[in-house]
Amino acid sequence: EIALPPGLCVQVQNASLSVLQSQQVGSRLYVPLLLSAFGVEVILLKKTECRHHKTSLLKEKGLAAFSLSNGVLKLDFDSSNQLSGWEDLGTNRTHRVGHSYVQYHEKKGLFPWGNVCDGTNVYTFVPDDGKVVLTPEIIPTNIRANGPLIWEVEQQINSYITASVRLYKPFFKSGTSQSVYAEFAQWQTKIGPLPSDPPNSVGFLFATDLNNSNKFVTYTNGFYPMERRYNSQRPLQGNTYPLVGRAYFTESDKRTTLAVVTQRPVGMTSYNGTLEMTLHRRIKLPITDDDMRGDDDSVLDDSVLIGFLENSGATVSAVTAAAMVGFQSPPTLHFALLDSSSRWTKHCRASWAPGNATALPLGVHLIQVIVLEPYNSTTRETQTALSVINVNEDAQSFDLTRSPFAGGKVLVIRETTPDFQVNIGKDPCHTQVRDSCKITLEPLRLRSFVLTIILS
């Protein structure tokens, strides 16, 4: 996804000046590219005439129901433009679903400075005054895109909340059946500025026909699962837990799981097959009219992924971890203004990727890379520190010398895992010059290494 200046429309070309498939929706440009790990790809954006898809506004009740479908998933909306159904076109499994937005009226404190033991404040969430559904009976809905890469509707919930629901065309890597957008749909919510009401926050509810027995799982730092249970005897704030990266709940018969992946931490709870997330908080103290921590007129423009997974728990963990890493770490974009495209295409490489790299196993993730010593042009060596984690429920092995971060011949490997079970500073493969080094990661374990590499 590339954000363009308003009013600019472009045609996408590769370095050979061949036109690439793309789709522009408003000021957002979508280009499907298969990037190798740590790879570089050059594309050219050429200004062209704007020819956006026409949009249709659905306002009145009684209009025909409609659907969004990317050929793998289908989302159904009823005649009031309310989300009503989810279908996996591969398995023909369907679910009754719905989404809505709520406003929490948070409890004011008795003291102007908002004592931490007194009502809501910047540290505590106290929605004891209840919540109000904001979603109207008939939602003004704008069909923004209808393929071939993006399917999108935009819904105006009220004067300060706009929700976009998107499906993307799934692209499958060679040799795998996994694609994030074959499992997940995207919700993007723009909130704010909020009106000058008493203290209030905005939440998002996604209701399903699953029976999860009020049990759900959140993750600490996105990698370590924590089982939770909704307790109906407690108020909402006593059932709200940090959602960092991803969470899920599973139907009682263990067949179906609803998973959510986020770009940033939010508060989350789940009950009766419903996912509830606190998206935006606004705090107004009685006298200062401020939370004393900065500007209160914030605007949130954030996205989450939601999907049904018909898999075992181990697969759910791996799929959600892969979705989280890809969602939170999109490709880095760099732009250059060119007076002549030929100057670039004649003298610069169109793409690059490590020559001997192989993909890490599903569920094994590179979480940190630090260049300790820059490239030395005389010795052609560089030194890199890295950490990898296994989020699967079984052990995973891979060749450290052929991983995406190697990019050349590995001369020396030194383990730096801060753990009493390993010898820090020792070579895990017991040789100093090698063609292979197989590393085993136990379930939910992290290992760190320093590699000295000679670049090819």
Side-chain angles (χ1 to χ4, degrees), residues 73-327:
L73 299 178
K74 183 163 75 77
L75 302 180
D76 294 324
F77 295 79
D78 63 21
S79 58
S80 297
N81 306 327
Q82 303 277 358
L83 179 68
S84 58
W86 180 299
E87 182 177 359
D88 184 323
L89 299 178
T91 62
N92 293 323
R93 289 183 176 175
T94 61
H95 298 281
R96 297 188 307 276
V97 296
H99 67 194
S100 60
Y101 290 84
V102 297
Q103 179 174 284
Y104 308 105
H105 292 286
E106 299 192 36
K107 182 179 179 181
K108 284 185 178 181
L110 298 176
F111 302 100
W113 51 88
N115 187 286
V116 295
C117 300
D118 173 45
T120 195
N121 54 64
V122 294
Y123 304 105
T124 57
F125 173 56
V126 188
D128 284 346
D129 291 339
K131 59 188 176 185
V132 176
V133 176
L134 299 175
T135 305
E137 181 181 352
I138 304 172
I139 309 176
T141 299
N142 193 358
I143 302 178
R144 299 272 292 164
N146 195 27
L149 300 178
I150 307 295
W151 292 259
E152 176 183 336
V153 296
E154 183 182 82
Q155 298 192 318
Q156 191 68 47
I157 305 302
N158 60 18
S159 61
Y160 56 88
I161 299 178
T162 302
S164 295
V165 184
R166 299 189 188 101
L167 293 175
Y168 294 83
K169 180 178 179 179
F171 289 89
F172 299 92
K173 294 181 180 180
S174 177
T176 178
S177 60
Q178 293 293 340
S179 174
V180 170
Y181 295 112
E183 314 263 18
F184 291 91
Q186 183 186 78
W187 270 257
Q188 183 174 21
T189 306
K190 182 176 180 180
I191 303 176
L194 295 177
S196 56
D197 289 336
N200 60 74
S201 301
V202 175
F204 172 74
L205 275 66
F206 189 84
T208 74
D209 56 4
L210 302 183
N211 176 17
N212 66 328
S213 301
N214 292 345
K215 298 178 182 178
F216 57 103
V217 174
T218 63
Y219 282 80
T220 301
N221 290 338
F223 290 107
Y224 296 98
M226 300 285 290
E227 293 188 358
R228 314 288 193 182
R229 180 190 288 271
Y230 184 90
N231 186 340
S232 59
Q233 302 302 312
R234 298 176 183 172
L236 178 62
Q237 61 267 31
N239 286 294
T240 301
Y241 297 92
L243 191 170
V244 183
R246 55 188 172 135
Y248 68 87
F249 63 76
T250 301
E251 195 173 27
S252 300
D253 63 6
K254 307 295 184 182
R255 292 179 56 193
T256 305
T257 293
L258 181 81
V260 58
V261 175
T262 65
Q263 290 182 320
R264 63 179 182 87
V266 297
M268 178 251 180
T269 190
S270 178
Y271 49 88
N272 301 328
T274 297
L275 168 75
E276 182 169 345
M277 294 185 292
T278 305
L279 294 182
H280 194 354
R281 295 197 66 203
R282 177 195 181 95
I283 302 166
K284 289 274 190 178
L285 299 183
I287 294 179
T288 62
D289 202 34
D290 190 344
D291 66 2
M292 299 181 291
R293 296 297 189 275
D295 185 11
D296 188 55
D297 295 325
S298 53
V299 175
L300 175 105
D301 194 355
D302 209 358
S303 299
V304 301
L305 300 179
I306 298 176
F308 287 90
L309 307 177
E310 313 287 345
N311 298 310
S312 64
T315 304
V316 167
S317 179
V319 170
T320 55
M324 178 188 68
V325 171
F327 194 42

